[in-house]
Amino acid sequence: MPTRPLTDAQRLDWLRLARTEGVGPITFRNLLRRYGSAAAALDALPDLARRGGRGSPLRPFDKTKAQAEIDAHQRCGAKLIAWDEPDYPESLAATEDAPPLLTVLGHGHLLQQRCVAIVGARNASLNGQRMAGQLARDLGAAGIIVVSGLARGMDAAAHRAALVSGTIAVMACGANVIYPPENADLHALISQTGAIISEMPLDTDPQARLFPRRNRIISGLSLGVVVVEAADRSGSLITAQRALDQGREIFAVPGSPLDPRCKGSNGLLRQGANLVENAADILNVLNAARPRQLNEISTSALKQSEAEGHCTDVDVAEARLLLGGLLGPSPVQIDDLIRACDLNPAAVLTALLELELAGLAVREPGQRVYLLSSPETGSDSMPPSSHSEKIAS
């Protein structure tokens, strides 16, 4: 990763590009790779979206609003770091859909240390909370930073137990927003002794669609994810799935088959997750794991950039027509699309980028893309049907 911080002007351009309608994390990286800078990408956006079939003009995020957001960070003592800066967590930067920018409240140096996530049920049992707390204390004593989502139940138990050694809370709202309200004291303590991070603008209220996005940050920061209790189809299982996609270790604490809160975590064990009875079980797996360069975790973007080359407007127009027939509501691999089009890969990738910015296509992790039935603000993160989570009261 580069080790040179962005200039103030570059940070402003990055924020404008990241906040522009239709530009999610994957599209952001593709634009930056293609045009070399956020400023050049911002200039290219309107024409790309128009060629992709967008009806109304695509206007980059307002410069004045972006500067106001940066000023708000300075007022509340938060930092806004980009994924090619030295302060950005390297493990997260290696994931395919890493947030272009992170808000950090507290001690940002913790993001550079070895992390393990502990997640579980919001309506956690007393024994489950005790288990999460014991794991967090023992992992902290071994030099591991505990990551979780500051939710009720298991998350809160893990955070509290790791306050002394260091803990990172990943928010599905603005980093300065206290949610849930009963964790106000914990939010304050973590901001003083640990770190609170979010990819969302300050003051953003929690929304159901933001929780799956938060979960991939929890797993992306971590060497592994420990699930203590999780019901079937729970947000904790989404975190575990994202961890699996990112090449992380999956751990689960066995629970009673009579307790519905353990159905999901027990299911992970049946699928091959590492069984956890104490912190030593986690540390032994992590210490025995083959040393891995972080860029092994997600190489598809690098392979894609190598495939890109010169293409003509005629090539792109032909690719755009072919993609209209090949794409549908079910995600397909981009490599398969390139083979099916039998055109210059650069032309296919350019046409896909145009469709994304027009709000007609969505790219998701794993180099897959699907077509929307009607234009909408794009986020190249996850299809709504496969990643959903309620905000628990």
Side-chain angles (χ1 to χ4, degrees):
M1 289 176 61
T3 57
R4 185 170 56 189
L6 297 180
T7 66
D8 290 345
Q10 289 172 329
R11 195 177 311 279
L12 184 64
D13 290 335
W14 272 59
L15 184 58
R16 291 184 65 206
L17 185 59
R19 298 286 187 254
T20 296
E21 177 187 344
V23 179
I26 299 175
T27 303
F28 185 100
R29 284 202 181 193
N30 290 335
L31 285 165
L32 205 63
R33 184 189 314 117
R34 179 178 295 271
Y35 293 101
S37 70
L42 286 166
D43 290 339
L45 285 180
D47 190 50
L48 287 169
R50 179 189 58 79
R51 291 192 312 221
R54 184 184 175 91
S56 58
L58 176 60
R59 294 184 175 87
F61 189 73
D62 183 75
K63 189 173 183 177
T64 302
K65 292 181 179 179
Q67 186 60 57
E69 185 174 338
I70 292 174
D71 294 342
H73 279 77
Q74 294 174 345
R75 286 195 299 271
C76 73
K79 291 185 65 177
L80 191 65
I81 57 175
W83 60 245
D84 69 343
E85 291 189 296
D87 291 341
Y88 197 96
E90 190 175 1
S91 58
L92 181 60
T95 63
E96 185 180 5
D97 56 347
L101 294 153
L102 279 177
T103 294
V104 182
L105 274 173
H107 298 272
H109 71 277
L110 296 177
L111 302 177
Q112 305 299 326
Q113 299 187 33
R114 299 175 78 212
C115 299
V116 167
I118 298 178
V119 298
R122 288 183 172 91
N123 61 335
S125 68
L126 182 58
N127 282 336
Q129 293 181 59
R130 286 174 176 167
M131 183 65 177
Q134 189 62 55
L135 291 174
R137 280 188 291 272
D138 292 345
L139 288 172
I144 299 292
I145 302 300
V146 172
V147 179
S148 199
L150 201 62
R152 299 178 177 89
M154 211 67 73
D155 289 18
H159 283 308
R160 290 190 186 279
L163 283 171
V164 174
S165 55
T167 185
I168 299 171
V170 186
M171 307 296 289
C173 50
N176 62 334
V177 174
I178 297 173
Y179 183 82
E182 61 265 34
N183 282 347
D185 64 326
L186 187 55
H187 185 282
L189 288 169
I190 295 174
S191 66
Q192 295 167 12
T193 64
I196 297 175
I197 69 172
S198 176
E199 68 176 318
M200 305 310 300
L202 293 171
D203 299 323
T204 299
D205 291 328
Q207 303 170 47
R209 66 180 181 84
L210 301 180
F211 282 82
R213 294 175 62 93
R214 175 206 64 177
N215 293 347
R216 110 272 191 195
I217 300 176
I218 291 174
S219 58
L221 284 169
S222 309
L223 298 171
V225 171
V226 184
V227 180
V228 181
E229 288 176 349
D232 204 14
R233 301 175 62 84
S234 66
S236 297
L237 296 188
I238 295 175
T239 307
Q241 181 58 55
R242 292 314 308 270
L244 187 63
D245 296 340
Q246 294 163 341
R248 281 27 175 189
E249 295 288 347
I250 310 296
F251 303 90
V253 175
S256 169
L258 301 178
D259 190 340
R261 289 171 294 196
C262 299
K263 186 175 182 180
S265 44
N266 287 343
L268 290 174
L269 291 170
R270 284 195 297 272
Q271 296 166 30
N274 298 286
L275 188 147
V276 171
E277 294 179 324
N278 51 53
D281 293 331
I282 301 167
L283 295 170
N284 289 338
V285 171
L286 296 181
N287 293 335
R290 178 178 66 87
R292 176 208 314 248
Q293 295 296 318
L294 284 173
N295 61 11
E296 286 184 46
I297 296 171
S298 177
T299 59
S300 56
L302 297 176
K303 292 177 180 177
Q304 177 179 325
S305 67
E306 293 170 358
E308 293 183 18
H310 177 72
C311 61
T312 67
D313 290 343
V314 174
D315 293 334
V316 176
E318 185 177 356
R320 201 182 302 122
L321 286 173
L322 290 172
L323 289 173
L326 293 171
L327 285 171
S330 298
V332 295
Q333 291 288 335
I334 292 176
D335 285 347
D336 293 339
L337 286 173
I338 292 174
R339 283 190 289 268
C341 288
D342 195 24
L343 293 171
N344 183 339
V348 179
L349 295 172
T350 299
L352 279 175
L353 185 58
E354 292 173 353
L355 291 172
E356 292 170 55
L357 293 172
L360 298 173
V362 175
R363 191 181 306 213
E364 62 177 12
Q367 288 296 296
R368 301 193 305 171
V369 64
Y370 63 94
L371 199 64
L372 294 172
S373 57
S374 59
E376 60 182 64
T377 53
S379 98
D380 45 24
S381 50
M382 308 132 198
S385 60
S386 61
H387 294 81
S388 61
E389 180 176 328
K390 293 181 179 179
I391 299 180
S393 59

